[in-house]
Amino acid sequence: MDRMFVISGMTYAVLGMLLGISMAVSKDHGQLVAHAHIMLVGFVVSFIYGLCHKLWLNNDSSKLAWAQFALHQLGAICLAVGLFLLYGNYIDMEKIDPVLGMGSNAVLLAMILMIVMFLRSGKKHQE
């Protein structure tokens, strides 16, 4: 799981950097919110999850770990694409709001699952 999170995180970093460079070149910073979410939710959180799996969760690849990975990726993609479409004025808020809500909830649930995995791993180390 650690490699999958790190690779996905680095992929988000490249996408976020490309969007940032595009904004700088065009001098149009309208995608700042999308850029920030791609970099933070996509890159930073994914990378931290990868470190957590490597350092503390013994690279757990249980069904719970897979569910957590899938939820985080689904949420990050929904947020990145949804915010890009919204702030690029490609779609109205009323249409994209349910997607952004689903993405936000998926990211939140993925974080809760990470906490559950951490709590479970602590019990294993104490025994």
Side-chain angles (χ1 to χ4, degrees):
M1 293 306 303
D2 61 341
R3 289 180 54 81
M4 291 178 60
F5 270 116
V6 170
I7 290 167
S8 67
M10 289 182 184
T11 303
Y12 288 117
V14 168
L15 294 173
M17 288 177 190
L18 288 171
L19 182 56
I21 291 167
S22 173
M23 288 189 302
V25 168
S26 70
K27 296 183 180 26
D28 176 2
H29 294 87
Q31 290 286 0
L32 183 63
V33 174
H35 167 73
H37 279 77
I38 292 167
M39 294 303 291
L40 291 173
V41 174
F43 170 54
V44 175
V45 176
S46 291
F47 195 84
I48 290 170
Y49 284 162
L51 290 175
C52 290
H53 274 279
K54 180 72 171 178
L55 298 174
W56 292 284
L57 300 178
N58 298 318
N59 213 12
D60 181 20
S61 61
S62 65
K63 289 180 183 177
L64 184 61
W66 278 103
Q68 191 264 343
F69 177 81
L71 273 172
H72 178 73
Q73 298 308 317
L74 174 68
I77 290 167
C78 285
L79 288 174
V81 172
L83 290 170
F84 179 81
L85 293 173
L86 177 64
Y87 285 95
N89 294 315
Y90 299 109
I91 195 164
D92 294 329
M93 173 62 96
E94 296 78 29
K95 292 181 182 171
I96 200 65
D97 199 41
V99 174
L100 294 174
M102 183 182 72
S104 297
N105 286 319
V107 169
L108 174 62
L109 184 54
M111 181 62 76
I112 292 168
L113 291 178
M114 178 56 78
I115 293 168
V116 169
M117 287 188 294
F118 246 81
L119 292 172
R120 285 183 176 180
S121 81
K123 289 179 182 179
K124 290 178 190 174
H125 292 303
Q126 292 173 356
E127 294 174 355

